[in-house]
């Protein structure tokens, strides 16, 4: 059976179809639910086995990236997302979804303006590095996929960074520490982190934009190199296990 | 925040100051240095002005929740007046009332959700060190270029007064009567000028005659409606004009383009030069709408807002097709970045400032809409200093309901959806049809709109919901662009007649005059013709998405345009007069006589230096600093990107878009070369069509399944020489379209791109033609890029090189003037088709066109993209020509050794192996050698 998946959006989200396509390719059955559709469609989220919070510019990021998304999600969903995690549901926040998870306190740290001061879109190489995170567990090969954001510089206090390292919660690092490999100046080249359960992953790059060979063909030197579909397959495996 | 004492600044509002952070301070300081103010450093903060329920308890609730970044860099919020450290100059800026402000709107909305009823306005605060020593003139220059745009903001040293939008003002229903009847031509000219109507004297006369016959004078709104509808922007009166030349009358330019397309009978053309966008249907059920617009004058005076709404406007054109937007293009022309600010014409923003604002404006809209910006060009020329050009294009996938759009029927409702209407962007159509001068920025303030891409994102979602179905809920639609409701409602109701009530239009705030509601170019609005039975459902769906939606009247059947404000008549005009009453413009053209004699001059140059100079010329140099600011990946359909090679290190020719679910897709190619236009406008047209065709062909598209789009940006066509250049260019366009079998499906002209300096001298832009090619890519998996793939492959040059240097970039970097503009290549179309066939067989590894800078630049770019080397020999007719001539029709193909015979057999004597790919990162051409890293440094502008 294909696990039911929710792609959660808010007005201004724009990569929901990309995320839904990736989930389909990975064997899930995704539907998009917008905060505007709540509370009517709350039941679908309650029944979901997997949740992706998609990228874009929710509410225009008018008060800072992901802030209004987080406030509205809290107002409309209450504690539903943390409850889903306690039930074992894997959650992936990509880009604006990561920003939303950080703003809502489900992931530690902050996502600040890129060091260069503006939006940046380019392909990056990601080294998966967490065995705790259900999404990256078992991934060894580097992933190739694009970033597309203006506020993606991961920042956290030294204590938090130390804790993330010691608890195996740094899910992805950019291939190198300097620009452009690390496109936004993130601390310790961190591209993605997970929560203490390993179920909730937030990442700035867009793995959903490299799930077919053609999407990456011009960006790799070896066929199928850096394909990001295994990440979504991992999510589906974890969804089925929950 | 918790430790900061709360105090209010003045009796009426509270001010919250939030530092923007180091990234912003660095960028501002860098820009100041770029403008020649190395002594200045800047610190920026956002200001939030709050009023209403702003007692301490409420502020303690909402400020941390909505404004403070607890873990961010900007943790220190100051509420009230910030202290000013000694030695610093403080400049505060506030957005003017009525200008779209998403931050303020969101802040008030989110505060209300938290239980606090407040009003919000925004601004900025800058602390400047090193500024107090500057002369006042320089300080003002710096403020107006870097810190504040007076078109949309006010500023002062020290504290600024905020511009709360919700100033309560009584609704006005005043309708002014403008006395025209019986006026002398001089009096009419005065009215024309005072009201900025931009009508020709004959047109003013026709309007006066009409109202004289009616026995009454027009209302202000009627006169404005006519001026907008008859503007060059809306009615293309130059392209429809009768033009006399010394060789007799030529057919109206638009008719020439249309007839060329009609005569070609291309089966994939569904709709050409009709409605908001051109529509083509390729194999595999791929139906696409395409349109490109210019937003030149708004971008000159408010670069961010002008470019931002240029993108928003062209997206709405495609939405109105109706289609789902899937790709954006931008072609930008600026003055030189390094221009000394003392040499700027009065009232003109610095080119570097315009460039920064325009790029940010394009990026902001496209990125937030979630439509990839994938193709474009950037040109620099002193001719664009006072009048930059911003071409914005959009491609969309046609929605299923397209076939069922029947046009409005009498009784259908007139429904406006999207954003609410405010006092922004009034008179944009007439503004864009006028020449600019030093005061343009001041008087045209209201002509600039500020966009809200999130609203347009939701409008797009709504239209897809209403129209991507076999039984659409809408019978016709158009966007509110130039002229606002006056153009949109007037156009949509042309065949039936229409009656609307302006009191039903959703407003952002009270106090608008009826004519302002009617003319406002507030963004993100569409007008729909909805069957009465569906109107409630359409309004409900729009409101569910949080959009403004209002039913303002009905389509009638009396073929009149009837506008009321409650019971009061505002406009009452027959459609016939409005749309057909304009006298045909008569213009005189003096055709150019370019020098096309064969070039016998043998050039000598420092070859090694010339190539590096070409690579670092801003027109050829890497555009990556711009390209990477655009999201070119969203939607997951981008196959060939604007940067080539796995390290994204080289330039691409065309780009390819193919949704992952589909086998086929489309390619976009851009041709533009204003330098050729200075010498030979007709051959320029051939050259840029050829370039656009090559760009799509090398990417994997079928040149026989290609449609073209024309965009002309020109000076004042009432000058015979300027018009003559335009006539010659259109002739070239038509001939080239026929030659390549590529029909034009849409286009747009932007004329009067001129600036009159305070001493009366006119500056016109170079004649600039942009050609966009939209082509079918039958197998997206076969598309290729420009970057070299592997050592050991051979390089094949196809096409013939002759000595053609007129308007070349070689001339530009060496100071040469001589030579002829590259001539059309009649054998090119057949060659491109053979190359496409080879690519379908998988016989070509990479390919790159030969254009500005010639073969040497082409090979250098392939080297940089692939980070591999090239060794090649030089051919005919002489060393300089072989390297730098810009003859048309040429491509370099990278081919595996084993495929060479097959490729040469197909291309015959029009192809030759000139060298091969090597592993070492360098370029060797004959006896000349360049290090790959040196080429890359020159091209990327690294020191």
């Amino acid at each position: 059976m294909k696990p039911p998946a929710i792609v959660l959006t808010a007005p201004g989200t724009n990569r929901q179809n990309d995320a839904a396509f990736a989930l389909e390719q990975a064997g899930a059955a995704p539907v998009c639910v917008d905060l505007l559709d709540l509370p009517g469609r709350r039941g679908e989220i309650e029944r979901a086995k997997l949740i992706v919070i998609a990228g874009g510019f929710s509410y225009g990021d008018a008060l800072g990236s992901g802030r209004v998304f987080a406030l509205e999600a809290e107002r409309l969903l209450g504690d539903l997302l943390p409850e889903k995690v306690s039930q074992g549901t894997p959650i992936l926040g990509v880009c604006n979804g990561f920003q939303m998870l950080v703003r809502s306190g489900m992931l530690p740290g902050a996502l600040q303006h890129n060091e260069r001061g503006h939006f940046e879109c380019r392909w990056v190489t990601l080294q998966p590095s967490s065995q705790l995170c259900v999404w990256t567990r078992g991934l060894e090969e580097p992933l190739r996929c694009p970033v597309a954001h203006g506020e993606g510089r991961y920042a956290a206090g030294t204590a938090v960074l130390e804790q993330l390292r010691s608890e195996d919660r740094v899910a992805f690092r950019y291939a190198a520490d300097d620009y452009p490999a690390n496109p936004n100046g993130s601390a310790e080249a961190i591209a993605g982190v997970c929560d203490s359960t390993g179920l909730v992953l937030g990442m700035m790059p867009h793995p959903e934009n490299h799930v077919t060979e053609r999407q990456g063909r011009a960006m790799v030197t070896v066929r199928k190199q850096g394909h990001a579909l295994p990440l979504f397959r991992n999510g589906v495996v974890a969804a089925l296990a929950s | 925040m918790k430790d900061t004492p709360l105090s209010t600044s003045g009796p009426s509002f509270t001010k919250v100051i939030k530092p923007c952070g180091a990234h912003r301070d660095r960028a501002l300081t860098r820009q100041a240095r770029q403008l020649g103010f190395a002594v200045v450093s800047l610190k920026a903060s956002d200001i939030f002005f709050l009023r209403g329920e702003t007692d301490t308890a409420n502020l303690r609730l909402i400020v941390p929740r909505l404004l403070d970044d607890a873990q961010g860099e900007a943790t220190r919020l100051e509420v009230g007046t910030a202290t000013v450290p000694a030695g610093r100059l403080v400049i505060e800026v506030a957005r003017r009332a009525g200008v779209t402000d998403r931050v303020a709107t969101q802040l008030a909305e989110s505060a209300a959700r938290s239980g606090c009823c407040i009003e919000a306005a925004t601004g900025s605060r800058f602390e400047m060190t090193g500024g107090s020593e500057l002369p006042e003139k320089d300080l003002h220059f710096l403020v107006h270029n870097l810190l504040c745009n007076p078109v949309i903001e006010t500023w002062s040293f020290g504290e600024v007064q905020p511009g709360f939008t919700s100033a309560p003002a009584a609704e006005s229903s005043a309708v002014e009567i403008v006395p025209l009847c019986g006026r002398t031509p001089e009096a009419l000219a005065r009215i024309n000028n005072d009201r900025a109507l931009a009508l020709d004297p004959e047109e003013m006369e026709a309007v006066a005659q009409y109202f004289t016959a009616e026995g009454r004078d027009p209302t202000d709104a009627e006169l404005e409606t006519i001026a907008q509808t008859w503007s060059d922007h809306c009615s293309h009166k130059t392209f429809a004009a009768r033009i006399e030349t010394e060789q007799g009358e030529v057919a109206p330019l638009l008719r020439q383009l249309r007839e060329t397309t009609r005569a070609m009978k291309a089966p994939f053309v569904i709709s050409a030069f009709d409605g908001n966008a051109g529509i083509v249907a390729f194999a595999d059920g791929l139906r696409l709408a395409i349109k490109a617009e210019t937003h030149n004058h708004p971008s000159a005076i408010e670069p961010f807002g002008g470019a931002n709404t240029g993108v928003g406007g062209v997206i709405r054109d495609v939405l109105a097709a109706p289609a789902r937007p899937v790709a954006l293009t931008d072609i930008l022309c600026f003055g030189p970045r390094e221009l000394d600010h003392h040499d700027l014409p009065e009232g003109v923003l610095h080119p570097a400032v315009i460039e920064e604002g325009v790029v940010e404006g394009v990026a902001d809209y496209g990125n937030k809409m979630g439509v990839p910006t994938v193709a474009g060009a950037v040109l620099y020329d002193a001719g664009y200093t006072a009048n930059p050009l911003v071409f914005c294009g959009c491609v969309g996938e046609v929605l299923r309901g397209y076939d069922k759009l029947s046009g409005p029927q009498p009784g259908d409702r007139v429904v406006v959806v999207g954003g609410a209407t405010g006092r922004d962007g009034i008179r944009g159509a007439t503004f864009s049809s006028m020449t600019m001068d030093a005061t343009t920025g001041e008087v045209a303030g209201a002509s600039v709109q500020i966009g809200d891409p999130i609203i347009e994102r939701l409008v797009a979602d709504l239209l897809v919901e209403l129209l991507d179905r076999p039984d659409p809920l809408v019978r016709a639609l158009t966007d509110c662009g130039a002229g606002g409701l006056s153009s949109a409602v007037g156009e949509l109701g042309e065949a039936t007649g229409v009656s609307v009530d302006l009191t039903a239009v959703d407003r952002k705030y009270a106090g608008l005059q009826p004519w302002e509601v009617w003319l406002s170019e507030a963004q993100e609005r569409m007008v729909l013709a909805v069957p009465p039975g569906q109107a409630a459902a359409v309004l409900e769906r729009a409101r569910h998405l949080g959009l403004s939606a209002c039913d303002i009247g009905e389509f009638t059947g009396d073929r009149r345009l009837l506008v009321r404000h409650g019971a009061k008549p505002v406009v009452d005009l027959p459609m016939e007069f409005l749309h057909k009453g304009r006298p045909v413009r008569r213009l005189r053209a003096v055709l150019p006589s370019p020098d096309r004699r064969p070039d016998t001059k043998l050039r000598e140059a420092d070859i090694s230096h010339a190539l590096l100079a070409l690579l670092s010329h801003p027109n050829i140099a890497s555009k990556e600093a711009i390209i990477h600011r655009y999201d070119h990946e969203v939607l997951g359909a981008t196959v060939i990107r604007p940067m080539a090679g796995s390290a994204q290190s080289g330039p691409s020719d065309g780009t390819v878009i193919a949704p992952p679910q589909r086998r086929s897709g489309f390619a976009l190619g851009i041709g533009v070369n204003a330098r050729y236009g200075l010498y030979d406008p007709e051959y320029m047209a051939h050259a840029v069509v050829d370039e656009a065709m090559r760009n799509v062909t090398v990417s994997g598209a079928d040149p026989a399944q290609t449609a073209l789009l024309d965009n002309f940006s020109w000076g004042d066509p009432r000058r015979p020489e300027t018009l003559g250049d335009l006539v010659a260019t259109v002739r070239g366009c038509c001939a080239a379209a026929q030659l390549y079998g590529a029909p034009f499906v849409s286009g747009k002209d932007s004329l009067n791109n001129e600036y009159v300096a305070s001493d009366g001298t006119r500056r016109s832009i170079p004649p600039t033609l942009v050609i966009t090619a939209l082509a079918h890519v039958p197998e997206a998996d076969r598309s290729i890029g420009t970057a070299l793939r592997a050592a050991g492959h051979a390089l094949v040059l196809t096409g013939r090189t002759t000595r053609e240097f007129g308007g070349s970039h070689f001339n530009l970097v060496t100071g040469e003037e001589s030579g002829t503009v590259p001539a059309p290549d009649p054998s090119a179309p057949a060659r491109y088709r053979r190359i496409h066939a080879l690519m379908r067989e998988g016989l070509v590894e990479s390919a790159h066109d030969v254009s500005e800078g010639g073969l040497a630049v082409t090979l250098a770019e392939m080297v940089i993209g692939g980070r591999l080397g090239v060794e090649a020999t030089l051919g005919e007719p002489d060393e300089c020509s072989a390297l730098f001539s810009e003859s048309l029709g040429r491509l370099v193909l990278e081919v595996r050794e084993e495929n060479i015979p097959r490729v040469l057999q197909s291309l015959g004597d029009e192809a030759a192996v000139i060298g091969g790919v090597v592993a070492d990162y360098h370029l060797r051409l004959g006896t000349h050698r360049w290090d790959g890293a040196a080429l890359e440094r020159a091209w990327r502008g690294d020191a």
Side-chain angles (χ1 to χ4, degrees):
Chain A
M1 194 205 68
K2 289 184 176 182
I6 293 293
V7 178
L8 186 63
T9 68
T13 300
N14 60 33
R15 266 182 166 86
Q16 59 268 50
N17 293 338
D18 305 18
F21 177 75
L23 287 170
E24 269 167 31
Q25 297 297 106
V31 291
C32 294
V33 174
D34 194 274
L35 292 185
L36 292 174
D37 302 326
L38 296 171
R41 297 180 64 186
R42 183 188 170 94
E44 292 173 60
I45 303 177
E46 285 171 351
R47 287 188 294 277
K49 290 285 190 187
L50 188 157
I51 296 171
V52 173
I53 306 168
F57 289 84
S58 54
Y59 304 94
D61 281 348
L63 303 183
S65 59
R67 188 199 297 259
V68 181
F69 197 166
L71 289 172
E72 289 296 285
E74 187 194 320
R75 185 174 71 86
L76 294 159
L77 290 172
D79 285 332
L80 183 57
L81 293 180
E83 279 165 23
K84 294 293 292 181
V85 177
S86 62
Q87 293 159 19
T89 308
I91 297 181
L92 170 63
V94 175
C95 197
N96 198 227
F98 183 19
Q99 292 162 337
M100 178 272 200
L101 288 169
V102 165
R103 292 276 188 183
S104 65
M106 291 179 69
L107 290 173
L111 292 158
Q112 303 181 341
H113 285 274
N114 293 355
E115 205 165 44
R116 299 223 152 190
H118 53 70
F119 184 97
E120 181 111 0
C121 175
R122 62 169 65 245
W123 276 60
V124 294
T125 303
L126 299 176
Q127 187 60 52
S129 56
S130 169
Q131 296 305 308
L132 171 73
C133 178
V134 300
W135 297 89
T136 54
R137 193 174 291 162
L139 301 186
E140 283 167 8
E141 293 298 312
L143 259 57
R144 292 271 293 154
C145 67
V147 290
H149 61 250
E151 297 175 49
R153 176 158 60 103
Y154 189 74
T158 43
V160 172
L161 290 173
E162 172 53 33
Q163 187 187 11
L164 290 173
R165 268 195 311 268
S166 66
E167 294 177 3
D168 191 22
R169 287 169 58 189
V170 176
F172 285 112
R173 284 201 163 84
Y174 299 109
D177 205 27
D178 49 350
Y179 182 86
N182 174 354
N184 48 37
S186 287
E188 299 184 14
I190 290 175
V193 297
C194 70
D195 72 339
S196 58
T197 68
L199 287 164
V200 183
L201 167 63
M203 62 191 295
M204 287 313 300
H206 291 281
E208 73 274 29
N209 284 148
H210 189 193
V211 293
T212 71
E213 191 189 339
R214 189 206 283 160
Q215 287 171 326
R217 206 169 54 93
M219 303 314 304
V220 298
T221 42
V222 180
R223 207 168 154 257
K224 288 209 170 180
Q225 187 184 23
H227 218 283
L229 195 57
L231 174 84
F232 291 95
R233 290 224 177 90
N234 265 354
V236 170
V237 168
L240 290 169
S242 71
Chain B
M1 147 79 204
K2 286 190 184 68
D3 303 319
T4 314
L6 294 173
S7 65
T8 54
S9 162
S12 56
F13 60 89
T14 300
K15 191 159 126 187
V16 180
I17 299 167
K18 174 181 170 180
C20 297
H23 69 280
R24 179 92 179 101
D25 301 341
R26 271 198 308 270
L28 277 170
T29 305
R30 189 180 59 234
Q31 285 166 337
R33 193 178 325 122
Q34 213 176 18
L35 292 177
F37 300 95
V39 295
V40 165
S41 83
L42 287 148
K43 282 181 78 67
S45 302
D46 292 323
I47 307 179
F48 305 93
F49 302 100
L50 311 174
R51 74 177 182 196
E53 297 175 0
T54 54
D55 54 59
T56 307
N58 270 341
L59 288 176
R60 284 210 190 284
L61 179 69
I62 62 171
V63 170
R65 193 172 162 82
L66 302 180
L67 297 176
D68 200 3
D69 282 308
Q71 292 148 309
E73 55 206 302
T75 50
R76 208 171 63 96
L77 290 191
E78 294 188 59
V79 179
T81 311
T83 46
V84 181
R88 294 197 188 166
L89 209 52
V90 169
I91 293 147
E92 284 193 359
V93 173
R95 190 166 276 218
R96 288 180 190 274
V99 175
T100 301
D101 188 343
R102 167 154 274 275
V103 175
T105 313
Q106 186 67 54
L107 187 54
E109 200 177 303
S110 289
R113 292 253 157 84
S114 309
C116 311
C117 184
I118 57 159
E119 289 171 49
T122 66
S124 314
R125 173 190 165 88
F126 302 95
E127 286 178 19
M128 187 191 289
T129 18
S132 35
E133 294 91 59
L134 292 177
E136 191 175 316
K137 192 160 182 266
D138 284 1
L139 194 56
H140 278 253
F141 172 84
L142 198 58
V143 169
H144 285 186
N145 276 269
L146 213 51
L147 308 184
C148 163
N149 191 318
V151 175
I152 56 164
E153 293 161 329
T154 57
W155 70 279
S156 76
F157 292 113
E159 298 216 5
V160 75
Q161 283 301 307
F164 286 103
T165 285
S166 49
E171 184 70 25
S172 162
S173 61
V175 175
E176 188 193 343
I177 303 296
V178 185
L180 282 194
C181 300
R183 290 299 170 111
T184 62
E186 293 73 33
L188 291 178
R190 224 169 12 251
I191 293 168
N192 190 16
N193 193 48
D194 290 349
R195 292 184 170 259
L197 300 174
L199 290 171
D200 288 351
E202 301 77 25
E203 294 165 348
M204 273 309 279
E205 187 59 39
V207 175
Q209 271 171 17
Y210 169 81
F211 284 102
T212 306
E214 290 285 300
R216 68 176 178 98
D217 281 313
T219 65
D220 49 2
E222 284 176 325
L223 200 51
E224 295 283 355
T225 302
I226 293 167
Q228 299 290 328
T229 308
W230 290 8
S231 69
D232 225 334
H233 189 95
C234 291
S235 74
H236 307 286
K237 55 194 177 195
T238 300
F239 267 61
R242 299 179 66 161
I243 299 172
E244 282 294 336
T245 74
E246 56 273 54
Q247 294 149 28
E249 189 175 321
V250 295
L253 303 177
L254 185 58
R255 193 193 299 163
Q256 291 185 39
L257 290 160
R258 270 180 207 274
E259 290 300 327
T260 303
T261 294
R262 194 170 302 152
M264 287 163 65
K265 294 193 172 67
F268 56 86
V269 175
I270 304 299
S271 170
F273 296 105
D274 186 29
N276 288 290
I279 297 179
V280 296
F282 295 133
D284 204 11
L286 186 62
R287 287 202 297 185
L288 300 170
I290 182 164
K291 179 76 180 181
E293 284 270 6
T294 44
H295 231 210
N296 303 338
H297 289 187
S299 302
I301 62 167
E302 213 292 272
F304 176 88
N308 199 242
T309 53
V311 177
V314 79
I315 290 174
R316 285 195 304 283
D317 277 328
V318 163
L319 286 172
R324 178 195 290 111
V326 295
L328 295 171
T329 66
D330 67 321
I331 296 89
L332 313 175
C333 304
F334 303 118
R337 256 183 232 152
E338 63 281 4
L339 190 75
D340 188 319
H341 68 86
H342 296 106
D343 298 338
L344 266 181
E346 197 184 336
V348 171
L349 294 172
H350 192 278
V353 170
I354 294 179
E355 176 172 354
E356 172 61 25
V358 165
V359 168
E360 189 57 25
V362 171
D364 179 78
Y365 215 101
N367 294 351
K368 287 184 175 163
M369 265 303 283
V371 182
T373 304
V374 292
V378 190
L379 304 184
Y380 300 88
D381 189 292
Y384 300 121
T385 298
N387 197 131
L389 302 182
V390 177
F391 300 83
C392 308
C394 183
V395 179
E397 276 194 50
V398 175
L399 303 179
R400 280 179 289 168
Y402 169 72
D403 304 293
K404 296 287 174 57
L405 294 182
S406 59
Q409 308 293 313
D412 283 355
R413 305 305 303 173
V414 183
V415 173
V416 183
V417 296
T421 299
R423 192 179 281 131
D424 31 7
I426 287 171
R427 296 184 173 136
T430 47
F431 168 48
S432 73
S433 305
M434 288 188 289
T435 296
M436 298 194 289
D437 62 29
T439 64
T440 297
E442 293 156 40
V443 301
S447 291
V448 170
Q449 319 87 341
I450 298 296
D452 188 343
I454 299 308
I455 298 292
E456 192 139 304
R457 168 78 259 152
L458 296 169
V459 169
D461 292 345
L462 172 71
L463 294 176
V464 168
E465 193 179 320
L466 300 177
L467 284 145
D468 197 24
R469 43 194 285 175
D471 55 337
L473 303 186
V474 171
R475 271 209 263 260
L477 71 161
T478 194
D479 74 306
C480 273
L485 289 173
S486 78
S487 298
V489 172
E491 264 172 48
L492 213 50
E494 183 178 351
T496 52
V498 63
S499 166
V500 299
D501 180 356
L502 296 177
T503 59
V505 176
D506 274 353
R507 289 146 162 79
K508 291 181 183 171
Y509 35 81
L512 297 180
Q513 311 257 352
W515 75 268
E516 290 179 308
V517 175
W518 184 234
L519 269 296
S520 161
E521 293 178 11
Q523 296 292 291
E524 291 93 24
R525 298 178 303 163
M526 305 286 294
V527 182
L528 317 176
V530 183
Q534 311 281 19
V538 168
L539 293 170
E540 193 278 319
R541 284 315 298 163
R543 288 172 189 155
H544 172 76
L545 292 171
L547 295 172
S548 151
C550 47
D551 177 339
I552 66 166
E554 68 172 359
F555 293 92
T556 51
D558 62 6
R559 305 210 60 211
R560 290 191 79 80
L561 176 63
L562 224 82
V563 182
R564 290 167 294 114
H565 188 268
K568 195 166 191 170
V570 177
V571 175
D572 183 359
L573 290 171
M575 291 292 186
E576 182 72 18
F577 174 69
L578 189 58
H579 291 287
K580 305 266 161 57
R582 182 175 57 77
V584 174
R585 214 179 209 192
R586 286 171 179 278
L587 294 168
R588 203 168 64 78
V590 175
L591 296 174
S593 45
D595 182 0
R596 292 175 181 170
R597 285 170 302 177
D599 185 354
T600 53
K601 181 175 173 183
L602 194 61
R603 287 163 182 78
E604 284 178 10
D606 177 347
I607 301 284
S608 178
H609 176 261
L611 176 56
L612 295 176
L614 281 164
L615 289 173
S616 59
H617 188 279
N619 288 355
I620 293 173
S622 174
K623 308 297 184 297
E624 63 194 273
I626 294 175
I627 288 169
H628 285 304
R629 289 170 72 169
Y630 302 151
D631 189 343
H632 41 80
E633 299 288 343
V634 63
L635 305 180
T638 311
V639 182
I640 298 297
R641 299 170 168 80
M643 295 298 288
S646 60
Q648 294 178 278
S649 52
S652 287
D653 283 334
T655 42
V656 174
I657 302 289
Q661 301 89 336
R662 263 182 198 280
R663 182 170 179 223
S664 70
F666 65 88
L668 284 167
I670 307 283
V672 55
N673 191 325
R675 305 257 340 137
Y676 293 164
L678 294 172
Y679 300 90
D680 192 334
E682 185 182 2
Y683 276 10
M684 164 180 73
H686 270 277
V688 299
V689 168
D690 182 67
E691 187 182 9
M693 293 299 299
R694 273 184 291 163
N695 282 348
V696 293
T697 304
V698 295
S699 310
D702 184 351
Q705 299 278 311
T706 302
L708 300 177
L709 199 65
D710 62 62
N711 282 87
F712 301 87
S713 277
W714 237 255
D716 187 344
R718 282 165 294 200
R719 200 171 37 238
E721 291 74 21
T722 304
L723 184 62
D725 286 351
L726 186 60
V727 170
T729 304
V730 169
R731 183 192 290 160
C733 283
C734 293
Q738 273 165 347
L739 176 64
Y740 289 92
F744 283 101
V745 293
S746 182
K748 186 91 188 185
D749 56 281
S750 165
L751 308 174
N752 308 300
N753 287 291
E754 301 203 352
Y755 173 89
V756 182
S758 45
D759 62 2
T761 53
R762 297 181 80 87
R763 293 156 200 259
S764 172
I765 58 159
T768 309
L769 167 68
V770 173
I771 296 289
T772 307
L774 170 68
H776 188 231
V777 176
E779 283 175 88
D781 284 344
R782 291 285 194 202
S783 51
I784 60 172
T786 61
L788 296 174
R789 297 292 287 185
H793 293 169
L795 293 174
V796 174
L797 173 65
T798 77
R800 212 173 290 285
T801 307
T802 53
R803 193 176 293 151
E804 294 174 309
F805 284 96
S808 69
H809 276 65
F810 176 81
N811 278 7
L812 204 55
V813 300
T814 57
E816 274 279 344
E817 276 288 337
S818 63
T820 59
V821 171
D825 177 357
S827 60
R831 185 183 320 133
Y832 299 167
R833 285 171 203 195
R834 285 197 291 273
I835 290 170
H836 175 64
L838 294 170
M839 289 170 66
R840 286 290 291 276
E841 289 180 57
L843 298 176
V844 183
E845 306 302 314
S846 76
H848 194 11
D849 75 338
V850 181
S851 57
E852 288 95 337
L855 178 65
V857 167
T858 300
L859 293 173
E861 289 176 342
M862 294 178 87
V863 163
I864 294 167
R867 298 248 164 93
L868 290 167
V870 160
E871 303 205 329
T873 52
L874 296 178
E876 294 295 303
D878 60 86
E879 189 176 61
C880 230
S881 301
L883 288 172
F884 303 120
S885 167
E886 297 183 3
S887 296
L888 305 187
R890 295 178 301 158
L891 294 161
V892 174
L893 312 177
E894 179 188 0
V895 178
R896 285 173 196 271
E897 281 295 330
E898 64 265 32
N899 296 328
I900 292 174
R902 177 73 192 83
V903 169
L904 292 183
Q905 183 200 0
S906 165
L907 296 173
D909 61 359
E910 291 184 334
V913 176
I914 57 166
V917 183
V918 296
D920 183 56
Y921 190 29
H922 74 273
L923 174 64
R924 185 191 295 282
L925 297 174
T927 57
H928 307 283
R929 185 186 184 281
W930 297 264
D931 226 34
L935 296 173
E936 193 170 328
R937 268 199 308 277
W939 186 69
R940 296 181 57 179
D942 301 343

